[in-house]
Amino acid sequence: MSTEITAAIPGIFYRRPAPDKAPFVEVGDTIEAGQTIGVVEIMKQFTEVRAEAAGVLTAFHAEDSGMVGPGDVIATID
């Protein structure tokens, strides 16, 4: 069963904590419930995007540095 991770707020989605850092997670990684998979930035405020369930990250649907809106699917976990 797949779980979709959605954006809670509008903003720019980033897969890395900083431009010179490694991504929080990659497709194929096993992740835990509550694990940070990215951040959404709006007006210099950063909100962590966390997995709601444990599993394997199968896809990112939001582009790194791309705009997301509330309810947009960011990633899928199986």
Side-chain angles (χ1 to χ4, degrees):
M1 184 169 141
S2 295
T3 300
E4 293 179 336
I5 301 171
T6 58
I9 60 171
I12 300 172
F13 173 70
Y14 295 104
R15 291 183 52 198
R16 302 169 186 269
D20 60 339
K21 302 289 183 189
F24 288 103
V25 293
E26 296 283 1
V27 171
D29 287 354
T30 299
I31 57 176
E32 301 296 324
Q35 183 174 343
T36 300
I37 65 150
V39 293
V40 174
E41 182 263 328
I42 184 168
M43 297 176 60
K44 304 296 180 197
Q45 298 287 330
F46 292 86
T47 301
E48 291 183 343
V49 177
R50 297 179 184 264
E52 297 160 7
V56 175
L57 182 69
T58 56
F60 275 104
H61 303 284
E63 293 292 323
D64 190 30
S65 302
M67 291 294 298
V68 294
D72 287 354
V73 177
I74 291 177
T76 303
I77 301 170
D78 280 342

